[in-house]
PDB file of all heavy atoms in Angstrom:
ATOM      1  N   PHE L  22       6.813   5.941   5.095  1.00  0.00           N
ATOM      2  CA  PHE L  22       6.000   4.744   4.889  1.00  0.00           C
ATOM      3  C   PHE L  22       6.741   3.794   3.943  1.00  0.00           C
ATOM      4  O   PHE L  22       7.791   4.143   3.386  1.00  0.00           O
ATOM      5  CB  PHE L  22       4.618   5.092   4.309  1.00  0.00           C
ATOM      6  CG  PHE L  22       4.665   5.942   3.067  1.00  0.00           C
ATOM      7  CD1 PHE L  22       4.978   5.391   1.825  1.00  0.00           C
ATOM      8  CD2 PHE L  22       4.405   7.308   3.133  1.00  0.00           C
ATOM      9  CE1 PHE L  22       5.023   6.176   0.687  1.00  0.00           C
ATOM     10  CE2 PHE L  22       4.459   8.102   1.994  1.00  0.00           C
ATOM     11  CZ  PHE L  22       4.767   7.533   0.769  1.00  0.00           C
ATOM     12  N   ILE L  23       6.155   2.615   3.768  1.00  0.00           N
ATOM     13  CA  ILE L  23       6.708   1.607   2.856  1.00  0.00           C
ATOM     14  C   ILE L  23       5.590   1.117   1.942  1.00  0.00           C
ATOM     15  O   ILE L  23       4.448   0.923   2.390  1.00  0.00           O
ATOM     16  CB  ILE L  23       7.323   0.428   3.644  1.00  0.00           C
ATOM     17  CG1 ILE L  23       8.613   0.878   4.347  1.00  0.00           C
ATOM     18  CG2 ILE L  23       7.608  -0.770   2.732  1.00  0.00           C
ATOM     19  CD1 ILE L  23       9.213  -0.150   5.280  1.00  0.00           C
ATOM     20  N   LEU L  24       5.890   0.936   0.678  1.00  0.00           N
ATOM     21  CA  LEU L  24       4.946   0.384  -0.288  1.00  0.00           C
ATOM     22  C   LEU L  24       5.285  -1.087  -0.500  1.00  0.00           C
ATOM     23  O   LEU L  24       6.458  -1.445  -0.614  1.00  0.00           O
ATOM     24  CB  LEU L  24       5.020   1.142  -1.609  1.00  0.00           C
ATOM     25  CG  LEU L  24       4.863   2.667  -1.530  1.00  0.00           C
ATOM     26  CD1 LEU L  24       4.884   3.288  -2.917  1.00  0.00           C
ATOM     27  CD2 LEU L  24       3.589   3.035  -0.807  1.00  0.00           C
ATOM     28  N   SER L  25       4.264  -1.938  -0.560  1.00  0.00           N
ATOM     29  CA  SER L  25       4.517  -3.382  -0.651  1.00  0.00           C
ATOM     30  C   SER L  25       3.357  -4.095  -1.328  1.00  0.00           C
ATOM     31  O   SER L  25       2.218  -3.595  -1.344  1.00  0.00           O
ATOM     32  CB  SER L  25       4.732  -3.967   0.753  1.00  0.00           C
ATOM     33  OG  SER L  25       4.978  -5.355   0.693  1.00  0.00           O
ATOM     34  N   ASN L  26       3.663  -5.271  -1.902  1.00  0.00           N
ATOM     35  CA  ASN L  26       2.601  -6.153  -2.398  1.00  0.00           C
ATOM     36  C   ASN L  26       2.608  -7.488  -1.655  1.00  0.00           C
ATOM     37  O   ASN L  26       2.049  -8.477  -2.133  1.00  0.00           O
ATOM     38  CB  ASN L  26       2.729  -6.376  -3.911  1.00  0.00           C
ATOM     39  CG  ASN L  26       4.001  -7.111  -4.311  1.00  0.00           C
ATOM     40  OD1 ASN L  26       4.885  -7.353  -3.474  1.00  0.00           O
ATOM     41  ND2 ASN L  26       4.118  -7.469  -5.585  1.00  0.00           N
ATOM     42  N   LEU L  27       3.256  -7.517  -0.485  1.00  0.00           N
ATOM     43  CA  LEU L  27       3.357  -8.752   0.285  1.00  0.00           C
ATOM     44  C   LEU L  27       2.279  -8.795   1.373  1.00  0.00           C
ATOM     45  O   LEU L  27       2.080  -7.833   2.121  1.00  0.00           O
ATOM     46  CB  LEU L  27       4.743  -8.871   0.917  1.00  0.00           C
ATOM     47  CG  LEU L  27       5.926  -8.886  -0.060  1.00  0.00           C
ATOM     48  CD1 LEU L  27       7.229  -9.076   0.698  1.00  0.00           C
ATOM     49  CD2 LEU L  27       5.767  -9.988  -1.098  1.00  0.00           C
ATOM     50  N   GLU L  28       1.615  -9.938   1.445  1.00  0.00           N
ATOM     51  CA  GLU L  28       0.519 -10.122   2.394  1.00  0.00           C
ATOM     52  C   GLU L  28       0.968  -9.921   3.839  1.00  0.00           C
ATOM     53  O   GLU L  28       0.227  -9.396   4.675  1.00  0.00           O
ATOM     54  CB  GLU L  28      -0.053 -11.538   2.218  1.00  0.00           C
ATOM     55  CG  GLU L  28      -1.365 -11.787   2.929  1.00  0.00           C
ATOM     56  CD  GLU L  28      -2.536 -11.081   2.263  1.00  0.00           C
ATOM     57  OE1 GLU L  28      -2.451 -10.786   1.047  1.00  0.00           O
ATOM     58  OE2 GLU L  28      -3.518 -10.820   2.975  1.00  0.00           O
ATOM     59  N   SER L  29       2.188 -10.318   4.151  1.00  0.00           N
ATOM     60  CA  SER L  29       2.665 -10.314   5.538  1.00  0.00           C
ATOM     61  C   SER L  29       2.792  -8.913   6.144  1.00  0.00           C
ATOM     62  O   SER L  29       2.867  -8.763   7.363  1.00  0.00           O
ATOM     63  CB  SER L  29       4.011 -11.031   5.631  1.00  0.00           C
ATOM     64  OG  SER L  29       4.958 -10.444   4.753  1.00  0.00           O
ATOM     65  N   TYR L  30       2.834  -7.869   5.291  1.00  0.00           N
ATOM     66  CA  TYR L  30       3.005  -6.518   5.807  1.00  0.00           C
ATOM     67  C   TYR L  30       1.733  -5.666   5.718  1.00  0.00           C
ATOM     68  O   TYR L  30       1.728  -4.503   6.131  1.00  0.00           O
ATOM     69  CB  TYR L  30       4.128  -5.800   5.051  1.00  0.00           C
ATOM     70  CG  TYR L  30       5.471  -6.491   5.142  1.00  0.00           C
ATOM     71  CD1 TYR L  30       6.147  -6.901   4.000  1.00  0.00           C
ATOM     72  CD2 TYR L  30       6.067  -6.737   6.376  1.00  0.00           C
ATOM     73  CE1 TYR L  30       7.384  -7.541   4.085  1.00  0.00           C
ATOM     74  CE2 TYR L  30       7.294  -7.367   6.466  1.00  0.00           C
ATOM     75  CZ  TYR L  30       7.944  -7.776   5.313  1.00  0.00           C
ATOM     76  OH  TYR L  30       9.164  -8.403   5.406  1.00  0.00           O
ATOM     77  N   LYS L  31       0.660  -6.226   5.184  1.00  0.00           N
ATOM     78  CA  LYS L  31      -0.545  -5.437   4.898  1.00  0.00           C
ATOM     79  C   LYS L  31      -1.159  -4.777   6.135  1.00  0.00           C
ATOM     80  O   LYS L  31      -1.728  -3.695   6.057  1.00  0.00           O
ATOM     81  CB  LYS L  31      -1.605  -6.338   4.241  1.00  0.00           C
ATOM     82  CG  LYS L  31      -1.336  -6.614   2.779  1.00  0.00           C
ATOM     83  CD  LYS L  31      -2.335  -7.598   2.200  1.00  0.00           C
ATOM     84  CE  LYS L  31      -3.739  -7.027   2.180  1.00  0.00           C
ATOM     85  NZ  LYS L  31      -4.665  -7.931   1.452  1.00  0.00           N
ATOM     86  N   SER L  32      -1.038  -5.429   7.282  1.00  0.00           N
ATOM     87  CA  SER L  32      -1.725  -4.924   8.470  1.00  0.00           C
ATOM     88  C   SER L  32      -1.017  -3.746   9.136  1.00  0.00           C
ATOM     89  O   SER L  32      -1.599  -3.079   9.997  1.00  0.00           O
ATOM     90  CB  SER L  32      -1.884  -6.059   9.494  1.00  0.00           C
ATOM     91  OG  SER L  32      -0.606  -6.552   9.886  1.00  0.00           O
ATOM     92  N   HIS L  33       0.222  -3.466   8.737  1.00  0.00           N
ATOM     93  CA  HIS L  33       0.963  -2.372   9.367  1.00  0.00           C
ATOM     94  C   HIS L  33       0.420  -1.026   8.876  1.00  0.00           C
ATOM     95  O   HIS L  33       0.216  -0.826   7.678  1.00  0.00           O
ATOM     96  CB  HIS L  33       2.450  -2.488   9.058  1.00  0.00           C
ATOM     97  CG  HIS L  33       3.322  -1.677   9.965  1.00  0.00           C
ATOM     98  ND1 HIS L  33       3.405  -0.308   9.885  1.00  0.00           N
ATOM     99  CD2 HIS L  33       4.151  -2.045  10.990  1.00  0.00           C
ATOM    100  CE1 HIS L  33       4.248   0.136  10.801  1.00  0.00           C
ATOM    101  NE2 HIS L  33       4.714  -0.899  11.488  1.00  0.00           N
ATOM    102  N   ASN L  34       0.219  -0.083   9.794  1.00  0.00           N
ATOM    103  CA  ASN L  34      -0.403   1.190   9.404  1.00  0.00           C
ATOM    104  C   ASN L  34       0.506   2.112   8.604  1.00  0.00           C
ATOM    105  O   ASN L  34       0.059   3.145   8.095  1.00  0.00           O
ATOM    106  CB  ASN L  34      -0.929   1.924  10.645  1.00  0.00           C
ATOM    107  CG  ASN L  34       0.181   2.357  11.593  1.00  0.00           C
ATOM    108  OD1 ASN L  34       1.341   1.985  11.434  1.00  0.00           O
ATOM    109  ND2 ASN L  34      -0.174   3.145  12.601  1.00  0.00           N
ATOM    110  N   LYS L  35       1.779   1.753   8.477  1.00  0.00           N
ATOM    111  CA  LYS L  35       2.706   2.545   7.667  1.00  0.00           C
ATOM    112  C   LYS L  35       3.087   1.815   6.365  1.00  0.00           C
ATOM    113  O   LYS L  35       4.063   2.180   5.711  1.00  0.00           O
ATOM    114  CB  LYS L  35       3.978   2.859   8.464  1.00  0.00           C
ATOM    115  CG  LYS L  35       3.761   3.834   9.620  1.00  0.00           C
ATOM    116  CD  LYS L  35       3.436   5.233   9.127  1.00  0.00           C
ATOM    117  CE  LYS L  35       3.389   6.224  10.285  1.00  0.00           C
ATOM    118  NZ  LYS L  35       3.070   7.594   9.815  1.00  0.00           N
ATOM    119  N   VAL L  36       2.322   0.801   6.032  1.00  0.00           N
ATOM    120  CA  VAL L  36       2.543   0.067   4.782  1.00  0.00           C
ATOM    121  C   VAL L  36       1.323   0.256   3.894  1.00  0.00           C
ATOM    122  O   VAL L  36       0.179   0.028   4.317  1.00  0.00           O
ATOM    123  CB  VAL L  36       2.782  -1.434   5.036  1.00  0.00           C
ATOM    124  CG1 VAL L  36       2.841  -2.194   3.708  1.00  0.00           C
ATOM    125  CG2 VAL L  36       4.072  -1.645   5.818  1.00  0.00           C
ATOM    126  N   PHE L  37       1.552   0.687   2.650  1.00  0.00           N
ATOM    127  CA  PHE L  37       0.482   0.863   1.671  1.00  0.00           C
ATOM    128  C   PHE L  37       0.688  -0.133   0.532  1.00  0.00           C
ATOM    129  O   PHE L  37       1.812  -0.357   0.087  1.00  0.00           O
ATOM    130  CB  PHE L  37       0.474   2.296   1.134  1.00  0.00           C
ATOM    131  CG  PHE L  37       0.192   3.329   2.181  1.00  0.00           C
ATOM    132  CD1 PHE L  37       1.239   3.915   2.900  1.00  0.00           C
ATOM    133  CD2 PHE L  37      -1.106   3.713   2.470  1.00  0.00           C
ATOM    134  CE1 PHE L  37       0.992   4.866   3.878  1.00  0.00           C
ATOM    135  CE2 PHE L  37      -1.363   4.661   3.446  1.00  0.00           C
ATOM    136  CZ  PHE L  37      -0.321   5.242   4.158  1.00  0.00           C
ATOM    137  N   GLU L  38      -0.415  -0.684   0.063  1.00  0.00           N
ATOM    138  CA  GLU L  38      -0.329  -1.721  -0.968  1.00  0.00           C
ATOM    139  C   GLU L  38      -0.075  -1.120  -2.346  1.00  0.00           C
ATOM    140  O   GLU L  38      -0.613  -0.054  -2.692  1.00  0.00           O
ATOM    141  CB  GLU L  38      -1.618  -2.542  -0.978  1.00  0.00           C
ATOM    142  CG  GLU L  38      -1.818  -3.380   0.271  1.00  0.00           C
ATOM    143  CD  GLU L  38      -3.017  -4.295   0.139  1.00  0.00           C
ATOM    144  OE1 GLU L  38      -3.058  -5.080  -0.834  1.00  0.00           O
ATOM    145  OE2 GLU L  38      -3.914  -4.215   0.994  1.00  0.00           O
ATOM    146  N   PHE L  39       0.726  -1.827  -3.135  1.00  0.00           N
ATOM    147  CA  PHE L  39       1.044  -1.398  -4.495  1.00  0.00           C
ATOM    148  C   PHE L  39      -0.214  -1.001  -5.270  1.00  0.00           C
ATOM    149  O   PHE L  39      -0.296   0.077  -5.859  1.00  0.00           O
ATOM    150  CB  PHE L  39       1.736  -2.532  -5.264  1.00  0.00           C
ATOM    151  CG  PHE L  39       3.215  -2.679  -4.994  1.00  0.00           C
ATOM    152  CD1 PHE L  39       3.855  -1.918  -4.048  1.00  0.00           C
ATOM    153  CD2 PHE L  39       3.963  -3.614  -5.713  1.00  0.00           C
ATOM    154  CE1 PHE L  39       5.219  -2.053  -3.806  1.00  0.00           C
ATOM    155  CE2 PHE L  39       5.316  -3.770  -5.484  1.00  0.00           C
ATOM    156  CZ  PHE L  39       5.952  -2.986  -4.529  1.00  0.00           C
ATOM    157  N   GLU L  40      -1.180  -1.922  -5.321  1.00  0.00           N
ATOM    158  CA  GLU L  40      -2.362  -1.708  -6.165  1.00  0.00           C
ATOM    159  C   GLU L  40      -3.157  -0.494  -5.706  1.00  0.00           C
ATOM    160  O   GLU L  40      -3.659   0.278  -6.527  1.00  0.00           O
ATOM    161  CB  GLU L  40      -3.234  -2.959  -6.185  1.00  0.00           C
ATOM    162  CG  GLU L  40      -2.622  -4.094  -6.993  1.00  0.00           C
ATOM    163  CD  GLU L  40      -3.605  -5.223  -7.250  1.00  0.00           C
ATOM    164  OE1 GLU L  40      -4.769  -5.109  -6.818  1.00  0.00           O
ATOM    165  OE2 GLU L  40      -3.209  -6.213  -7.889  1.00  0.00           O
ATOM    166  N   ASP L  41      -3.293  -0.307  -4.401  1.00  0.00           N
ATOM    167  CA  ASP L  41      -4.042   0.848  -3.887  1.00  0.00           C
ATOM    168  C   ASP L  41      -3.382   2.155  -4.301  1.00  0.00           C
ATOM    169  O   ASP L  41      -4.057   3.129  -4.665  1.00  0.00           O
ATOM    170  CB  ASP L  41      -4.131   0.789  -2.359  1.00  0.00           C
ATOM    171  CG  ASP L  41      -5.054  -0.319  -1.874  1.00  0.00           C
ATOM    172  OD1 ASP L  41      -5.798  -0.868  -2.706  1.00  0.00           O
ATOM    173  OD2 ASP L  41      -5.012  -0.633  -0.668  1.00  0.00           O
ATOM    174  N   VAL L  42      -2.052   2.169  -4.233  1.00  0.00           N
ATOM    175  CA  VAL L  42      -1.314   3.388  -4.587  1.00  0.00           C
ATOM    176  C   VAL L  42      -1.402   3.661  -6.083  1.00  0.00           C
ATOM    177  O   VAL L  42      -1.609   4.804  -6.513  1.00  0.00           O
ATOM    178  CB  VAL L  42       0.157   3.268  -4.134  1.00  0.00           C
ATOM    179  CG1 VAL L  42       0.985   4.422  -4.678  1.00  0.00           C
ATOM    180  CG2 VAL L  42       0.249   3.211  -2.615  1.00  0.00           C
ATOM    181  N   CYS L  43      -1.269   2.612  -6.887  1.00  0.00           N
ATOM    182  CA  CYS L  43      -1.278   2.786  -8.346  1.00  0.00           C
ATOM    183  C   CYS L  43      -2.668   3.109  -8.886  1.00  0.00           C
ATOM    184  O   CYS L  43      -2.799   3.709  -9.957  1.00  0.00           O
ATOM    185  CB  CYS L  43      -0.739   1.528  -9.027  1.00  0.00           C
ATOM    186  SG  CYS L  43       1.028   1.279  -8.786  1.00  0.00           S
ATOM    187  N   GLN L  44      -3.697   2.704  -8.154  1.00  0.00           N
ATOM    188  CA  GLN L  44      -5.068   2.955  -8.610  1.00  0.00           C
ATOM    189  C   GLN L  44      -5.714   4.104  -7.823  1.00  0.00           C
ATOM    190  O   GLN L  44      -6.924   4.193  -7.697  1.00  0.00           O
ATOM    191  CB  GLN L  44      -5.899   1.681  -8.455  1.00  0.00           C
ATOM    192  CG  GLN L  44      -5.418   0.543  -9.340  1.00  0.00           C
ATOM    193  CD  GLN L  44      -6.104  -0.784  -9.042  1.00  0.00           C
ATOM    194  OE1 GLN L  44      -7.025  -0.848  -8.227  1.00  0.00           O
ATOM    195  NE2 GLN L  44      -5.647  -1.832  -9.691  1.00  0.00           N
ATOM    196  N   ARG L  45      -4.896   4.986  -7.310  1.00  0.00           N
ATOM    197  CA  ARG L  45      -5.384   6.109  -6.504  1.00  0.00           C
ATOM    198  C   ARG L  45      -6.398   6.925  -7.302  1.00  0.00           C
ATOM    199  O   ARG L  45      -6.201   7.213  -8.490  1.00  0.00           O
ATOM    200  CB  ARG L  45      -4.196   6.998  -6.129  1.00  0.00           C
ATOM    201  CG  ARG L  45      -4.423   7.806  -4.865  1.00  0.00           C
ATOM    202  CD  ARG L  45      -4.409   6.904  -3.666  1.00  0.00           C
ATOM    203  NE  ARG L  45      -4.367   7.646  -2.414  1.00  0.00           N
ATOM    204  CZ  ARG L  45      -4.384   7.053  -1.235  1.00  0.00           C
ATOM    205  NH1 ARG L  45      -4.449   5.743  -1.156  1.00  0.00           N
ATOM    206  NH2 ARG L  45      -4.339   7.772  -0.134  1.00  0.00           N
ATOM    207  N   ASN L  46      -7.475   7.287  -6.658  1.00  0.00           N
ATOM    208  CA  ASN L  46      -8.491   8.121  -7.302  1.00  0.00           C
ATOM    209  C   ASN L  46      -8.022   9.576  -7.280  1.00  0.00           C
ATOM    210  O   ASN L  46      -8.001  10.226  -6.238  1.00  0.00           O
ATOM    211  CB  ASN L  46      -9.825   7.973  -6.572  1.00  0.00           C
ATOM    212  CG  ASN L  46     -10.929   8.755  -7.256  1.00  0.00           C
ATOM    213  OD1 ASN L  46     -10.701   9.404  -8.276  1.00  0.00           O
ATOM    214  ND2 ASN L  46     -12.129   8.693  -6.709  1.00  0.00           N
ATOM    215  N   CYS L  47      -7.633  10.054  -8.449  1.00  0.00           N
ATOM    216  CA  CYS L  47      -7.104  11.419  -8.530  1.00  0.00           C
ATOM    217  C   CYS L  47      -8.045  12.322  -9.318  1.00  0.00           C
ATOM    218  O   CYS L  47      -7.599  13.231 -10.026  1.00  0.00           O
ATOM    219  CB  CYS L  47      -5.731  11.418  -9.183  1.00  0.00           C
ATOM    220  SG  CYS L  47      -4.481  10.614  -8.177  1.00  0.00           S
ATOM    221  N   ALA L  48      -9.318  12.049  -9.241  1.00  0.00           N
ATOM    222  CA  ALA L  48     -10.298  12.821 -10.007  1.00  0.00           C
ATOM    223  C   ALA L  48     -10.115  14.310  -9.772  1.00  0.00           C
ATOM    224  O   ALA L  48     -10.100  14.786  -8.639  1.00  0.00           O
ATOM    225  CB  ALA L  48     -11.710  12.398  -9.600  1.00  0.00           C
ATOM    226  N   GLY L  49      -9.938  15.020 -10.867  1.00  0.00           N
ATOM    227  CA  GLY L  49      -9.783  16.469 -10.780  1.00  0.00           C
ATOM    228  C   GLY L  49      -8.412  16.937 -10.365  1.00  0.00           C
ATOM    229  O   GLY L  49      -8.156  18.132 -10.316  1.00  0.00           O
TER     230      GLY L  49
END
């Protein structure tokens, strides 16, 4: 996969957004 903060790649199913990855819910 690829991590990105660019709007142009958000819709690709193998691209994850920076903020989503950094704010991952890791409870427990």
